[in-house]
Amino acid sequence: MRNRLDLKNILESLYAARSQEHLANDPLSFCHRYQDPRDLEIVGLIASSFAYGNVKIIKKNLAWIFDRIGDSPRLFVERFEPEQGFRLFAGFKHRFNDARDLCALLFACRTMLEQEGSVEGWMLRFHGQGREDLTETLTGYSEAVKSLDLTPVFGAASPPGDSYFPFFFPSPASGSACKRLCMYLRWMVRPADGIDLGIWKGITPDQLVIPVDAHIQRICRLLGFTSRKQADWRMAREITAALRKLDPADPVKYDFSICHLGISEGCDGKDQSKCLACPIAGLCPVGSP
């Protein structure tokens, strides 16, 4: 393994090589269709909530949702009524989430706006400035969202057993890596850099935790950022701690570029032909001679 300075320099080069082609292959691209920060946080929450599974299917289903929501997602959510949603989103399915779950998500967003004026304001209820990271923040946020009265959607305060609405809001308390919520927060909090948006100010970039998907799990293990095998909250914090040594103020800065080695560049940790042009080949045991 090279020394920390070499590693940082290589990751900085990887960060600088991010492209609009990478962005087009990412659910975050839907946020870049809008300009108003009030729209962006709504679009980001919806896009990140469904960011699981095959990327092409994610993008197809998100395009279907946003085509129906229209030009002002914020206004749509403010005026949202579940009965309207059942008609508008009839037949929607994304793996195990259906139209009911989508309507419950939109109704939850409406409730957050009514109570605090923004999703950020609602999340800040559970955030402390002195905290090292988002463990307590996400735990409080997720539990509170799942405790909302969803009677207008489900006919009862809580979702029925066959609803996967709670899947949108995992919690560190259960050990989940909370990949989609961590990704959403990265989009909102990291400084605007052509990829991330930097529209939230109540949470600082140094408090973010890396979103651990299959690509981050594999590549960060190869780079020695974690020795854990299970993609859980402990792994997410361990990888973040390693990245914090490289950039204490912005530890998840490299998430997008590392992740897109897998999403966009095809790294699978096995095919060495992919290593020939890979910028981290000298650091990774798969690509090292």
Side-chain angles (χ1 to χ4, degrees):
M1 176 68 70
R2 300 185 185 189
N3 64 40
R4 187 181 299 174
L5 180 59
D6 286 341
L7 177 58
K8 181 175 175 63
N9 287 338
I10 289 172
L11 290 181
E12 285 289 342
S13 296
L14 188 64
Y15 174 81
R18 300 167 312 148
S19 71
Q20 292 301 301
E21 291 182 7
H22 292 147
L23 179 60
N25 206 25
D26 195 283
L28 175 55
S29 62
F30 287 91
C31 291
H32 286 262
R33 298 181 176 187
Y34 304 87
Q35 299 296 321
D36 190 330
R38 296 174 299 176
D39 289 327
L40 293 177
E41 67 166 14
I42 299 297
V43 175
L45 183 56
I46 297 168
S48 61
S49 294
F50 290 102
Y52 67 97
N54 180 276
V55 172
K56 290 183 179 179
I57 295 175
I58 293 170
K59 291 176 60 181
K60 176 183 176 182
N61 286 339
L62 288 177
W64 189 91
I65 292 171
F66 291 120
D67 283 349
R68 282 155 180 77
I69 285 179
D71 294 336
S72 179
R74 165 76 182 219
L75 186 60
F76 179 90
V77 167
E78 288 177 339
R79 297 175 175 177
F80 179 73
E81 295 294 342
E83 286 299 324
Q84 163 208 17
F86 294 146
R87 294 190 298 271
L88 188 62
F89 302 116
F92 173 77
K93 189 75 174 176
H94 180 71
R95 297 191 68 182
F96 38 80
N97 285 120
D98 58 20
R100 292 179 310 164
D101 299 333
L102 172 56
C103 288
L105 177 64
L106 294 169
F107 184 77
C109 287
R110 193 190 91 177
T111 303
M112 294 181 210
L113 299 185
E114 288 173 346
Q115 293 184 2
E116 296 292 344
S118 67
V119 179
E120 179 187 17
W122 212 81
M123 185 173 288
L124 289 177
R125 288 179 173 185
F126 314 99
H127 186 65
Q129 291 299 323
R131 292 173 179 169
E132 178 185 10
D133 63 24
L134 298 172
T135 302
E136 292 86 359
T137 305
L138 289 182
T139 298
Y141 173 76
S142 291
E143 294 309 313
V145 175
K146 288 184 287 189
S147 297
L148 291 174
D149 185 349
L150 300 175
T151 300
V153 178
F154 295 112
S158 299
D162 63 345
S163 168
Y164 282 86
F165 170 77
F167 176 75
F168 293 141
F169 300 98
S171 171
S174 66
S176 171
C178 303
K179 170 247 181 176
R180 287 163 294 126
L181 286 177
C182 286
M183 184 168 64
Y184 175 56
L185 283 161
R186 194 205 85 207
W187 298 353
M188 299 296 109
V189 172
R190 280 206 66 255
D193 60 359
I195 301 294
D196 293 320
L197 305 170
I199 61 171
W200 284 11
K201 305 305 178 184
I203 298 171
T204 54
D206 62 299
Q207 294 175 311
L208 295 173
V209 175
I210 194 166
V212 176
D213 66 359
H215 304 292
I216 291 294
Q217 178 186 13
R218 180 183 67 256
I219 295 170
C220 286
R221 288 190 77 236
L222 291 171
L223 291 175
F225 291 151
T226 181
S227 59
R228 294 183 58 78
K229 295 182 179 180
Q230 184 176 352
D232 55 13
W233 189 248
R234 290 178 63 186
M235 174 182 276
R237 295 186 81 188
E238 188 170 281
I239 294 172
T240 304
L243 292 172
R244 191 173 283 119
K245 294 177 181 178
L246 303 178
D247 193 331
D250 193 5
V252 305
K253 173 181 181 179
Y254 309 112
D255 169 58
F256 181 89
S257 47
I258 293 174
C259 187
H260 275 271
L261 289 175
I263 294 175
S264 297
E265 305 301 334
C267 170
D268 61 5
K270 299 175 183 178
D271 183 357
Q272 289 189 315
S273 68
K274 300 286 187 180
C275 303
L276 298 177
C278 180
I280 65 167
L283 301 174
C284 171
V286 177
S288 299

